[in-house]
Amino acid sequence: MSLKEILAQASSEKWAVPHFNFSNLEILKAVVEAARETKSPVLVGTSEGERNFVGLPEAVSMVKAFRESSGLPIFLNADHTKSVEAAKQAMDAGYDSVHIDLSALSFEENVRGTTEVVKYARDKSSEISAEGELGYLRGESKIEKKKIEIRPEDYTDPEEAADFVKKTGVDRLAIAVGNVHGITLDEPKLDVERIKKIRAVVSPEVALVLHAGSGIPDEDIKTAISAGISNIHISTELRAEFREELEKSLHKKGEAEYAPYKILEPVVEAIKQKAVEKIELFSSANRM
Ligand code: G3H
Ligand code: ZN
């Protein structure tokens, strides 16, 4: 099944396709093991920082190898791509999906750049799924001991969203509805009524994407899915597992241990468990 077909199935059956960010083999391996154990489709993604570290062809090859060995629908997304050029590079390298994020620009500039990326994707392959973003998402994928203020103008306007989708032809739309990247001192408060309004006016063929899934309470995630979200991004919670478990493992194994695969084994296991937890929460298990 293609990513577009899986997203359509998720929308109609009211569950969400998980999107997990990765920047090394261990996180990717853990996510694939979680997908294998739960029989879930997954999107794995690299932000610009992550892809610069991993390498574009390397990310494509690793995902292809895992897709073939697992037999699962695993797709690679160029996440939060901030320029048309970088989006084209990812598609040229063989990414299955692209997220063009021009949300910091004016509505017109966002429409112009996103339309160019969608056209490039269509000319390349009907299989590539293209995501645009409207509204402004604050924060970074890390744990921060501070509050982040969301301004009223940050939120996605439903009418503008409908117009944006018509003009650009995107397959997925990332929206700002009270979500903030990373985990901060305040618990995110999702504007569920706004999700419903956006869902009601945006073409049903377009998947609504909730970024910044880390730190959102489980009940709110479930409510967001019933309101029309069919794709959810998680990064910080996996990064936290990586860092915390690595520190624990180094401490536990002691100075005599030099084999990276022995040090990293419990790290991969902890990330896998976190990914399984999210897959179950999003109800994407046993869909394939
Ligand atoms: O695109 C990446 C995500 O939106 C991850 O957000 O770090 O808050 O989970 P998060
Ligand atoms: Zn994001």
Side-chain angles (χ1 to χ4, degrees):
M1 268 173 104
S2 71
L3 175 56
K4 289 182 195 183
E5 288 167 333
I6 291 169
L7 285 165
Q9 188 187 331
S11 287
S12 74
E13 295 174 355
K14 297 254 186 234
W15 50 276
V17 177
H19 176 294
F20 296 110
N21 287 75
F22 72 96
S23 50
N24 60 18
L25 172 69
E26 290 74 26
I27 298 178
L28 179 59
K29 180 178 158 69
V31 168
V32 173
E33 282 178 14
R36 209 194 300 254
E37 190 175 291
T38 55
K39 298 189 181 62
S40 169
V42 279
L43 245 180
V44 290
T46 56
S47 64
E48 290 189 345
E50 287 164 334
R51 77 191 230 182
N52 289 342
F53 181 72
V54 177
L56 283 177
E58 290 80 359
V60 170
S61 299
M62 284 198 292
V63 171
K64 184 169 176 275
F66 278 123
R67 181 164 44 221
E68 286 171 3
S69 65
S70 68
L72 283 168
I74 301 168
F75 303 98
L76 177 59
N77 177 46
D79 198 30
H80 289 288
T81 314
K82 302 283 186 179
S83 72
V84 170
E85 217 25 64
K88 289 180 180 174
Q89 280 167 2
M91 289 185 268
D92 289 345
Y95 273 59
D96 309 295
S97 161
V98 66
H99 167 213
I100 176 76
D101 175 7
L102 304 179
S103 57
L105 304 181
S106 69
F107 181 81
E108 290 71 26
E109 287 169 311
N110 190 352
V111 166
R112 200 175 313 126
T114 304
T115 307
E116 190 180 337
V117 169
V118 173
K119 187 178 178 317
Y120 196 82
R122 301 291 179 257
D123 289 347
K124 227 175 165 50
S125 156
S126 61
E127 299 277 281
I128 297 178
S129 173
E131 172 181 346
E133 178 158 333
L134 192 66
Y136 193 65
L137 282 177
R138 296 181 184 273
E140 280 177 69
S141 288
K142 57 181 180 175
I143 297 175
E144 292 191 271
K145 288 196 174 55
K146 66 175 191 187
K147 295 190 172 212
I148 291 188
E149 189 206 338
I150 305 177
R151 306 212 179 116
E153 62 271 25
D154 294 345
Y155 288 83
T156 307
D157 175 75
E159 296 308 322
E160 256 191 8
D163 192 27
F164 181 82
V165 160
K166 257 189 228 140
K167 286 183 167 140
T168 59
V170 288
D171 303 299
R172 318 195 302 274
L173 179 69
I175 54 176
V177 287
N179 38 340
V180 174
H181 282 125
I183 298 177
T184 61
L185 283 183
D186 333 78
E187 198 168 84
K189 270 245 133 306
L190 293 186
D191 183 345
V192 177
E193 285 314 306
R194 190 177 291 265
I195 300 174
K196 287 185 191 161
K197 279 188 198 148
I198 298 171
R199 187 62 286 171
V201 293
V202 162
S203 158
E205 277 147 42
V206 175
L208 293 184
V209 186
L210 183 71
H211 277 254
S214 296
I216 298 178
D218 289 1
E219 280 315 307
D220 296 4
I221 289 282
K222 288 184 193 162
T223 312
I225 295 172
S226 357
I229 293 290
S230 53
N231 182 204
I232 303 177
H233 284 228
I234 300 285
S235 177
T236 305
E237 289 191 44
L238 300 192
R239 288 181 172 189
E241 291 297 334
F242 177 80
R243 191 188 156 127
E244 286 159 19
E245 292 302 320
L246 181 57
E247 281 172 1
K248 271 192 223 160
S249 181
L250 284 167
H251 184 74
K252 201 169 156 205
K253 306 243 181 237
E255 286 177 2
E257 186 55 76
Y258 278 81
Y261 63 89
K262 290 186 184 167
I263 294 168
L264 289 163
E265 199 186 351
V267 180
V268 171
E269 182 56 29
I271 300 167
K272 176 190 157 191
Q273 286 314 325
K274 180 56 74 179
V276 166
E277 199 184 287
K278 297 296 174 187
I279 285 170
E280 282 166 358
L281 176 62
F282 303 166
S283 282
S284 65
N286 295 310
R287 299 288 179 176
M288 295 298 117

